[in-house]
Amino acid sequence: MTDITEKDIRNVADLALLSLRDEEVSQYQKDLSSVLGHFETISRVDTDAVDAIGHITGMANVYRVDDAHPCSQEEREALMTNVPSRDGDHISVKNVL
Amino acid sequence: MIRELHEKLVTGKVTAEALVHTYLARIDAVDSGDEGIGAFISVDRACALQQAKVVDSLIAEGEHVPLLAGIPGAIKDLINIKDQKTTAGSRMLADYVSPYDATVIEKLRGTHAVFLGKTNLDEFACGGSTEHSAYGVTRNPQDISRVPGGSSGGSAAAVAAAEAVCSLGTDTGGSIRQPSSFCGTVGLKPTYGRVSRYGVIAYGSSLDQVGPIASTVEDCAIVLSAIAGQDVRDATTAHSDGQTYENFLGEDLTGKKIGIVKEFLSDGLDPRVQKVFLDAVEKYKSLGAEIVDVSLPYTDDALAAYYVIATSELSSNLARFDGIRFGSTAQQKDFDSLIEYYKHVRGEGFGAEIKRRLMLGTYTLSAGYFDAYYKKAQKVRTLIRQDYEKAFEKVDFLFTPTAPEVAFKLGDRTEDPLKMYLTDIYNVPANLAGVPALSLPIGTIVEGDVSLPVGGQILGKWFDEEGVLNAGHMWEQSII
């Protein structure tokens, strides 16, 4: 078990952009303490001389030409139909500043 | 099974339309209601019948059609089909209609395969029981009081209940193989990079693969041939020569070396599963294979390393669900800031298991913890890969039980997330190492009046899907 406080849970929920109800906070405090305790078992592995893995089958630097993809009005409309709030061809969001 | 149906279709013994009607009637009969299987989230009859009619007219015109033409299949609801909903098993995407086809769907369209509908899953593919879906649970067709496994539980159950001939699942840490083991189907997780993930909602991007579930190894091979290959839209896909995997089946196993991993036969293994497994090993001996004892010393560390990596990548991938471009919204409320809006939409849209994993992943990636968790896990992953490299210097394949147990009862694990995670213990190493792994039914355990399937898992060298499928096919043929 890892000692995770209620404050830790509220902090990590803020970082993860999640609103939590009070009863969820206590449940996740219990769950995360138990699971993070299990995660910590990897600390026993000696990895001093080991590199972190990059790509598992060893691929590197896959490039493509940086071209703009022409988008038909039909494709544009199909994408925009999923937008919760729109203004013509624009996505409406709340003021950021 | 696909080959037999194909023969019937091209010789006019059955039409594709009639075949689709048969499967739709089966879905109507067994899928819904309190005791229904619940394999499907949505069924698109019009789409399936339209696709079938095209196949019938092609055949009537004397066209040569591919093996999958007219074959009714099911698609995990994590994979985009144009103009159909993709829910990912989440309230977050309850109304999301995909504007495009995933590459695997585009490829299947090229074969004129038929899409019956979208199958249930643990929300965003996170889970091992298909109990974490916003659209209800899926039940195991062998015993409806039990889970089908997960996260591709709907895809495996649909095949096991004869609601579809074959299906697509995804596998990040066993999500094709474990439900195949629990439901008695055959399922393949291909090598990382073998199949494009374009149009598939991402979970753990360094682990995810799409693969087939079917009732025979040959059927899996046929589906794999259709969906595999390099894709410029998924930069992790490897070069491929367009193999026809079903043509590699039937090669004698004499002289092949099969490794039995001692770490997989440890305390947590149900002794009844162990017995079925050891009997299956004897079968390989009788097929001429040489059995070799193998040790993979880092097996015990795989589960923790896997969950650190998978939840970290999940927390990054699911950051895109913000209620702005698609997904849930909260128009009716007024928020003080955009941040408050995000938190509300995500807090309400994601289910309990997703929130749990998002917080785990956010924690392990946060400043001060990154080195101790994520970076450390990526180093352990290097050691696990080295374990497999060394093993495959000695043997052609590894053979293990797919899961340490048979399907458990609905509700048994939902209160204890760690216990649920431990069910993946035999599956996650293949994803961490990136190797191909096949699960096939190797026997059953009788409990009361039900017979519960046991799966065996064959792991092979990177990109040796031919060998893995052949080893599975030869075992399967030996018991017919």
Side-chain angles (χ1 to χ4, degrees):
Chain A
M1 292 286 276
T2 300
D3 192 21
I4 299 291
T5 63
E6 187 185 319
K7 194 171 161 227
D8 290 333
I9 293 294
R10 292 196 187 276
N11 182 37
V12 80
D14 274 348
L15 290 171
L17 295 176
L18 293 169
S19 63
L20 295 183
R21 292 181 295 277
D22 289 343
E23 63 271 24
E24 289 181 293
V25 173
S26 53
Q27 181 63 44
Y28 289 135
Q29 191 182 343
K30 189 170 127 270
D31 295 347
L32 263 68
S33 297
S34 149
V35 177
L36 288 169
H38 178 68
F39 282 6
E40 277 171 18
T41 60
I42 55 170
S43 64
R44 69 188 173 198
V45 183
D46 179 0
T47 55
D48 286 350
V50 182
D51 288 332
I53 207 144
H55 185 278
I56 194 67
T57 60
M59 291 175 77
N61 299 339
V62 179
Y63 297 114
R64 64 169 171 80
V65 180
D66 189 17
D67 277 342
H69 167 67
C71 182
S72 68
Q73 190 55 36
E74 189 197 353
E75 275 181 285
R76 188 189 303 266
E77 198 46 46
L79 284 165
M80 291 299 287
T81 51
N82 284 302
V83 170
S85 177
R86 64 187 283 185
D87 179 1
D89 268 356
H90 298 278
I91 301 171
S92 300
V93 296
K94 199 169 177 64
N95 287 350
V96 177
L97 296 172
Chain B
M1 185 173 185
I2 292 173
R3 219 178 264 282
E4 289 80 10
L5 287 171
H6 175 75
E7 276 309 307
K8 285 185 182 168
L9 285 165
V10 296
T11 55
K13 291 199 175 75
V14 66
T15 64
E17 195 179 342
L19 195 59
V20 167
H21 277 301
T22 305
Y23 278 88
L24 289 174
R26 175 76 183 159
I27 293 168
D28 288 341
V30 303
D31 209 59
S32 52
D34 288 346
E35 298 201 334
I37 303 300
F40 285 88
I41 291 179
S42 56
V43 174
D44 193 330
R45 289 161 200 275
C47 162
L49 287 166
Q50 180 56 34
Q51 287 175 305
K53 282 177 187 162
V54 170
V55 173
D56 285 333
S57 53
L58 287 172
I59 291 170
E61 286 161 20
E63 294 269 342
H64 178 77
V65 295
L67 279 170
L68 280 172
I71 302 297
I75 307 294
K76 185 177 186 177
D77 204 13
L78 194 70
I79 301 173
N80 285 337
I81 299 180
K82 190 175 190 297
D83 298 334
Q84 292 192 19
K85 280 188 180 181
T86 306
T87 68
S90 181
R91 279 192 304 275
M92 181 63 94
L93 293 177
D95 299 314
Y96 175 72
V97 177
S98 175
Y100 68 105
D101 277 338
T103 295
V104 288
I105 295 300
E106 202 174 85
K107 283 171 170 274
L108 286 173
R109 282 195 201 279
T111 70
H112 296 289
V114 171
F115 310 135
L116 293 166
K118 311 290 290 288
T119 53
N120 201 14
L121 67 158
D122 288 297
E123 185 173 0
F124 286 102
C126 291
S129 66
T130 317
E131 292 170 291
H132 303 297
S133 165
Y135 305 93
V137 300
T138 299
R139 291 176 183 78
N140 192 315
Q142 315 296 344
D143 175 358
I144 58 165
S145 71
R146 289 172 195 267
V147 302
S151 66
S152 311
S155 291
V159 171
E163 297 175 79
V165 175
C166 51
S167 61
L168 290 187
T170 63
D171 190 315
T172 304
S175 284
I176 287 174
R177 291 160 286 154
Q178 183 252 24
S180 289
S181 177
F182 283 8
C183 291
T185 56
V186 182
L188 174 74
K189 182 204 88 74
T191 307
Y192 185 79
R194 178 59 89 195
V195 179
S196 167
R197 292 98 43 91
Y198 176 78
V200 182
I201 296 173
Y203 163 13
S205 298
S206 75
L207 305 157
D208 297 341
Q209 269 294 287
V210 179
I213 296 174
S215 49
T216 68
V217 176
E218 186 189 39
D219 287 356
C220 276
I222 291 169
V223 177
L224 181 67
S225 301
I227 62 172
Q230 194 164 24
D231 179 13
V232 291
R233 294 172 298 188
D234 177 355
T236 66
T237 49
H239 174 74
S240 137
D241 294 323
Q243 300 289 31
T244 310
Y245 295 96
E246 60 274 22
N247 292 351
F248 289 85
L249 305 177
E251 192 195 332
D252 185 11
L253 293 179
T254 303
K256 292 284 183 198
K257 289 183 180 161
I258 297 182
I260 306 301
V261 186
K262 73 171 185 192
E263 288 82 1
F264 280 59
L265 301 176
S266 57
D267 296 343
L269 177 61
D270 181 334
R272 301 169 304 168
V273 172
Q274 175 155 349
K275 181 172 183 315
V276 171
F277 171 71
L278 292 175
D279 288 347
V281 173
E282 288 304 310
K283 183 70 77 180
Y284 267 125
K285 277 188 197 166
S286 71
L287 289 168
E290 184 187 335
I291 304 300
V292 180
D293 288 328
V294 169
S295 173
L296 299 169
Y298 291 102
T299 298
D300 283 350
D301 302 302
L303 195 79
Y306 166 80
Y307 271 100
V308 170
I309 293 167
T311 56
S312 296
E313 294 181 4
L314 178 81
S315 73
S316 171
N317 275 321
L318 266 50
R320 73 187 55 149
F321 297 103
D322 57 6
I324 300 289
R325 290 158 301 153
F326 38 68
S328 298
T329 183
Q331 296 290 346
Q332 72 282 17
K333 290 183 77 170
D334 198 25
F335 296 94
D336 293 339
S337 67
L338 193 57
I339 294 288
E340 289 307 310
Y341 172 78
Y342 290 152
K343 284 185 181 172
H344 177 84
V345 164
R346 291 164 61 82
E348 296 298 313
F350 290 133
E353 177 61 17
I354 291 299
K355 285 192 264 189
R356 186 181 294 122
R357 293 194 190 203
L358 287 178
M359 285 197 289
L360 283 166
T362 302
Y363 185 89
T364 55
L365 288 179
S366 59
Y369 296 104
F370 175 83
D371 281 357
Y373 290 104
Y374 190 73
K375 197 167 180 193
K376 181 79 180 181
Q378 290 287 50
K379 289 182 174 185
V380 173
R381 192 173 179 185
T382 299
L383 294 169
I384 289 165
R385 187 192 151 98
Q386 288 169 355
D387 262 1
Y388 282 78
E389 283 170 346
K390 283 179 204 150
F392 286 127
E393 283 170 14
K394 291 205 298 188
V395 299
D396 298 290
F397 310 106
L398 298 168
F399 187 44
T400 78
T402 305
E405 59 196 341
V406 290
F408 47 89
K409 294 272 189 182
L410 286 160
D412 253 13
R413 307 270 162 95
T414 42
E415 296 303 311
D416 186 346
L418 186 56
K419 202 171 171 194
M420 184 76 95
Y421 298 171
L422 289 167
T423 63
D424 299 337
I425 197 147
Y426 293 166
N427 303 132
V428 300
N431 301 79
L432 289 170
V435 296
L438 176 80
S439 177
L440 78 162
I442 54 168
T444 52
I445 287 171
V446 177
E447 248 183 52
D449 55 0
V450 292
S451 196
L452 299 168
V454 176
Q457 178 177 235
I458 302 162
L459 299 95
K461 295 171 188 168
W462 292 265
F463 299 108
D464 186 22
E465 276 81 1
E466 294 95 326
V468 168
L469 288 162
N470 182 60
H473 176 77
M474 295 308 280
W475 196 96
E476 188 183 66
Q477 293 300 303
S478 74
I479 57 161
I480 291 173

